[in-house]
Amino acid sequence: MQSYQEFLQEVLIDEETLQSRIGELAAEISRDYEGKPLMLACILRGGVMFLTDLMRRLTIPHTVDFMAVSSYGAGARHSSGQVRITLDLQTSIEGKDVLLVEDIIDSGNTIASVIQLLKTREPQSVRVCSLLDKFERREALVPIDYCGFKIPNKFVFGYGLDLDEYYRNLPFIGVVRPDRYIPPE
Ligand code: IMP
Ligand code: MG
């Protein structure tokens, strides 16, 4: 296993910048959802770090639930229009104000299908909170109601985002040097 220093091109967003922006988002969400039945729906696995830091800073009552979707196979770097729910929410969203918590919106295909599915379950509202927005790659029209950072079209890792499932634990968002990164067996 390589250590990340071997293929890190640059730290795109450092820990302090991430944490301070997450604090701002949490304050905004706490204001907007005051008095509402807020449910955070986190998309596994990339959204987990963001979710836990975000919820620690929310000052209003809320519940959390998880779902997982597979948009593309291991090693692939672009999602297709087809996404499959591999783990569904365990609780009803009927009448709830659902906020989808994602690590990154890239083509937008994943989140667009998830929104479409959830809307059939009669929630009060469904909105999107994404830490990162790789806006240049957008294919599906998705409004990002709460966006942490717009980023350029580079493959990033850390803070929940993986490289072949590893390196999610790093506290910052880094850019990969593709010519230096060796995928695990
Ligand atoms: P989309 O359907 O193209 O918007 O893909 C979104 C999903 O692709 C995210 O939830 C991530 O899991 C993954 N993804 C997209 N870009 C990156 C990246 O730069 N690093 C790591 N994962 C990424
Ligand atoms: Mg991923």
Coordinates of all heavy atoms in Angstrom, one line a residue, residues 71-72 79 102-110 134 154-156 161-162, ligand 1:
S71 N -23.0 3.3 -8.6 CA -23.1 4.0 -9.8 C -22.1 3.5 -10.8 O -22.4 3.4 -12.0 CB -22.9 5.5 -9.6 OG -21.8 5.7 -8.8
Y72 N -21.0 3.0 -10.4 CA -20.1 2.4 -11.3 C -19.2 1.4 -10.6 O -19.0 1.4 -9.4 CB -19.2 3.3 -12.1 CG -18.6 4.5 -11.3 CD1 -17.7 4.3 -10.3 CD2 -19.0 5.8 -11.6 CE1 -17.2 5.4 -9.6 CE2 -18.4 6.9 -10.9 CZ -17.5 6.6 -9.9 OH -17.0 7.7 -9.3
S79 N -19.6 7.8 -13.6 CA -20.8 7.1 -13.3 C -21.7 7.1 -14.6 O -21.7 8.0 -15.4 CB -21.6 7.7 -12.2 OG -22.1 9.0 -12.5
E102 N -24.1 14.4 0.6 CA -23.2 13.7 -0.4 C -21.8 14.3 -0.2 O -21.6 15.4 0.2 CB -23.7 14.0 -1.8 CG -24.4 12.9 -2.5 CD -23.4 11.8 -3.0 OE1 -22.4 11.5 -2.3 OE2 -23.7 11.3 -4.1
D103 N -20.8 13.5 -0.6 CA -19.5 14.0 -0.6 C -19.2 14.9 -1.8 O -18.6 15.9 -1.7 CB -18.4 12.8 -0.6 CG -18.7 11.7 -1.7 OD1 -19.7 11.8 -2.4 OD2 -17.9 10.8 -1.8
I104 N -19.6 14.4 -3.0 CA -19.3 15.1 -4.2 C -20.4 14.9 -5.3 O -20.9 13.8 -5.4 CB -17.9 14.7 -4.8 CG1 -17.5 15.5 -6.0 CG2 -17.8 13.2 -5.1 CD1 -16.0 15.4 -6.3
I105 N -20.7 15.9 -6.0 CA -21.6 15.8 -7.2 C -20.7 16.0 -8.4 O -20.1 17.0 -8.6 CB -22.7 16.8 -7.2 CG1 -23.4 16.9 -5.9 CG2 -23.7 16.5 -8.3 CD1 -24.5 16.0 -5.6
D106 N -20.7 15.0 -9.3 CA -19.8 15.0 -10.4 C -20.7 15.1 -11.7 O -21.1 16.2 -12.0 CB -19.0 13.7 -10.3 CG -17.9 13.6 -11.4 OD1 -17.5 14.6 -11.9 OD2 -17.4 12.5 -11.6
S107 N -21.0 14.0 -12.3 CA -22.0 14.1 -13.4 C -23.3 14.5 -12.9 O -24.1 15.1 -13.7 CB -22.1 12.7 -14.2 OG -22.7 11.8 -13.3
G108 N -23.6 14.2 -11.7 CA -25.0 14.4 -11.1 C -25.9 13.3 -11.3 O -27.0 13.3 -10.8
N109 N -25.5 12.3 -12.0 CA -26.4 11.1 -12.3 C -26.8 10.4 -11.1 O -28.0 10.0 -10.9 CB -25.7 10.1 -13.3 CG -25.6 10.7 -14.7 OD1 -26.4 11.5 -15.1 ND2 -24.5 10.4 -15.4
T110 N -25.9 10.2 -10.1 CA -26.3 9.4 -8.9 C -27.3 10.2 -8.1 O -28.4 9.6 -7.8 CB -25.0 9.3 -8.0 OG1 -24.0 8.7 -8.8 CG2 -25.3 8.4 -6.8
K134 N -18.2 19.2 -8.5 CA -17.3 19.2 -9.7 C -18.2 19.7 -10.9 O -18.6 18.9 -11.7 CB -16.8 17.8 -9.9 CG -15.3 17.7 -10.3 CD -15.0 16.3 -10.6 CE -14.1 15.6 -9.6 NZ -13.7 14.3 -10.1
K154 N -10.7 17.6 -11.3 CA -9.6 16.8 -11.0 C -10.0 15.6 -10.1 O -11.0 15.8 -9.3 CB -8.5 17.6 -10.2 CG -7.9 18.7 -11.1 CD -7.0 19.6 -10.3 CE -6.3 20.5 -11.2 NZ -5.4 21.5 -10.4
F155 N -9.3 14.5 -10.1 CA -9.8 13.4 -9.2 C -9.2 13.7 -7.8 O -8.0 13.8 -7.6 CB -9.3 12.0 -9.8 CG -10.3 11.0 -9.3 CD1 -11.5 10.8 -9.9 CD2 -10.0 10.2 -8.1 CE1 -12.4 9.8 -9.5 CE2 -10.9 9.3 -7.7 CZ -12.1 9.1 -8.3
V156 N -10.1 13.7 -6.9 CA -9.7 14.1 -5.5 C -10.0 12.9 -4.5 O -10.7 12.0 -4.8 CB -10.5 15.3 -5.0 CG1 -10.0 16.6 -5.8 CG2 -12.0 15.1 -5.1
L161 N -13.7 10.6 0.7 CA -13.6 10.2 -0.7 C -12.5 9.2 -0.9 O -11.4 9.4 -0.3 CB -13.4 11.4 -1.6 CG -14.6 12.4 -1.7 CD1 -14.3 13.7 -1.0 CD2 -15.0 12.6 -3.2
D162 N -12.8 8.2 -1.7 CA -11.8 7.1 -1.8 C -11.0 7.1 -3.1 O -11.4 7.6 -4.1 CB -12.5 5.8 -1.6 CG -13.4 5.5 -2.8 OD1 -14.3 6.3 -3.1 OD2 -13.2 4.4 -3.5
Ligands
IMP1 P1 -21.9 11.3 -10.2 O1 -23.0 10.4 -10.3 O2 -21.0 11.4 -11.4 O3 -22.3 12.7 -9.7 O4 -20.9 10.6 -9.1 C1 -20.9 10.9 -7.8 C2 -20.1 9.9 -7.0 O5 -18.8 9.6 -7.7 C3 -19.7 10.4 -5.7 O6 -20.6 10.1 -4.7 C4 -18.3 9.8 -5.5 O7 -18.5 8.6 -4.8 C5 -17.7 9.5 -6.8 N1 -16.7 10.5 -7.3 C6 -16.9 11.4 -8.2 N2 -15.7 12.2 -8.4 C7 -14.9 11.7 -7.5 C8 -13.5 12.0 -7.1 O8 -12.9 13.0 -7.6 N3 -13.0 11.3 -6.1 C9 -13.6 10.3 -5.5 N4 -14.9 9.9 -5.8 C10 -15.5 10.6 -6.8

